[in-house]
Amino acid sequence: MLNDTYRHKGMRRKLVELLRSKGITDEAVLEAIDKVPRHLFLDNAFINFAYKNQAFPIGSDQTISHPFTVAFQTQLLELKKGEKVLEIGTGSGYQCSVLIEMGVKVFSIERHRSLHMKSKKILNDLGYFPKLFFGDGYKGLPGYAPFDKIIITAAAPFIPQDLLDQLKIGGSMIIPLGESEKQEMQRLTKKAETEFLTETYGEFSFVPMLQDKSFKS
Ligand code: SAH
């Protein structure tokens, strides 16, 4: 069932070249993308399209991000091996596995129980063991804080204060910020307890980071 053929590997190599041509320069990120069998994170119907630079449905009305978006956000994190990274929006688990291939310790939160369960299974079947949580990403994981880096993979209507609080000084958070169809990718670097440097990186389009209290099954 977990079939990663030479054909898939070949398609992945092409995807890596496409990402390089679109401006991804961090070799460690490209290597991680080259290693992760993205097709196994998609439902069967989409398997043959897995290596196109497209978003696809993963169930529960959610999508796996474009490979370029995954590569871009991962590059902005400027990861060092061994760092503690919090991801908001586990979704399919694909971004999670790319982070693990970068050599960091991953904590990830998902508010859809079915996606939480499904991603855990595929990740574990592939030999990836992040710490996965079913819960509200706006709250983060105070019990595991502080984190070196935080990556939000859903469109945040505002900057969640709890997440800023859970960032180490010197650490940074990547956040697609905005309530409309498009969001602005921002990197917030924590210079001091209440001092942040904001850098902006253009427009992207994510599914919304939802605020209602009721988690979905
Ligand atoms: N990183 C994912 C992309 C997921 S799409 C991947 O690689 O596949 C965004 C995900 O964020 C969806 O699964 C959605 O259910 C989740 N999400 C939305 N609001 C959330 C919240 N408040 N807390 C946690 N997860 C949330």
Side-chain angles (χ1 to χ4, degrees):
M1 184 223 139
L2 294 184
N3 213 356
D4 190 25
T5 64
Y6 280 112
R7 191 172 131 257
H8 292 120
K9 289 188 176 110
M11 290 196 284
R12 230 158 35 238
R13 202 146 307 139
K14 283 201 183 122
L15 173 63
V16 164
E17 290 319 311
L18 178 75
L19 297 176
R20 208 191 288 280
S21 75
K22 284 179 168 288
I24 303 297
T25 52
D26 185 332
E27 288 299 324
V29 172
L30 293 168
E31 257 173 54
I33 300 247
D34 195 38
K35 283 195 188 127
V36 178
R38 178 174 160 92
H39 61 286
L40 300 177
F41 290 87
L42 296 174
D43 290 337
N44 276 332
F46 299 104
I47 256 186
N48 287 327
F49 302 100
Y51 298 103
K52 293 201 182 300
N53 188 31
Q54 282 182 28
F56 288 102
I58 53 173
S60 309
D61 270 345
Q62 304 303 317
T63 54
I64 183 172
S65 303
H66 287 64
F68 178 76
T69 306
V70 171
F72 193 78
Q73 283 195 294
T74 308
Q75 179 165 281
L76 285 180
L77 284 170
E78 296 184 349
L79 297 170
K80 292 181 198 71
K81 285 199 178 14
E83 284 187 333
K84 253 170 84 180
V85 180
L86 173 63
E87 178 192 28
I88 309 301
T90 316
S92 67
Y94 176 68
Q95 171 75 70
C96 221
S97 61
V98 170
L99 293 171
I100 293 171
E101 289 289 358
M102 297 288 292
V104 299
K105 197 163 167 17
V106 182
F107 299 72
S108 185
I109 311 176
E110 172 56 53
R111 74 183 278 284
H112 269 285
R113 189 183 282 283
S114 55
L115 290 175
H116 164 70
M117 305 293 284
K118 198 170 158 188
S119 60
K120 187 179 203 126
K121 179 168 185 350
I122 183 67
L123 283 162
N124 292 353
D125 285 353
L126 288 169
Y128 297 117
F129 297 95
K131 287 207 183 303
L132 298 175
F133 300 82
F134 168 57
D136 181 5
Y138 280 94
K139 296 200 171 66
L141 294 171
Y144 294 88
F147 296 95
D148 295 289
K149 308 281 164 66
I150 298 178
I151 171 173
I152 302 183
T153 69
F158 58 87
I159 299 169
Q161 184 60 43
D162 283 342
L163 298 184
L164 291 182
D165 291 345
Q166 291 171 32
L167 208 50
K168 278 186 196 168
I169 307 268
S172 58
M173 173 160 91
I174 314 300
I175 175 170
L177 188 61
E179 276 182 294
S180 58
E181 226 169 83
K182 299 268 180 218
Q183 302 86 44
E184 182 176 64
M185 191 69 80
Q186 294 195 354
R187 178 166 64 192
L188 309 177
T189 303
K190 192 166 184 170
K191 294 292 184 190
E193 208 42 65
T194 56
E195 194 197 326
F196 289 85
L197 167 74
T198 302
E199 295 162 288
T200 60
Y201 293 95
E203 284 192 332
F204 288 80
S205 183
F206 285 80
V207 296
M209 182 171 173
L210 297 171
Q211 294 178 67
D212 56 349
K213 305 266 182 291
S214 57
F215 300 145
K216 300 288 179 187
S217 53

